[in-house]
Amino acid sequence: DSIKIDFCLLQPSKGEVFGSGDAKLYGLTLQIEGVGLSPKHAQLKYDGFKSFNVVDFNSENGTWMNIPK
């Protein structure tokens, strides 16, 4: 199963840290429940050159993106 989530980066240079845990405890800026994310799952960051980087924080299920062509 997958879920589509659309959001904008509020702090593109710092990146958005997302997961399913306690936002304050894990420093999350995007909390997503019920989709199998680790408490502190990954970070999405804009590199300033029309590209985004995803950094996985050793999540249990890994991180992947399905990007339409």
Side-chain angles (χ1 to χ4, degrees), residues 11-54:
Q11 47 187 14
S13 61
K14 277 181 75 175
E16 301 296 337
V17 177
F18 59 93
S20 63
D22 181 290
K24 289 183 182 179
L25 178 66
Y26 293 104
L28 305 179
T29 55
L30 179 63
Q31 186 179 30
I32 307 169
E33 295 293 335
V35 294
L37 296 181
S38 295
K40 184 175 181 180
H41 195 90
Q43 179 183 43
L44 181 61
K45 190 173 181 181
Y46 181 63
D47 74 358
F49 299 101
K50 298 183 182 180
S51 295
F52 291 90
N53 297 308
V54 177

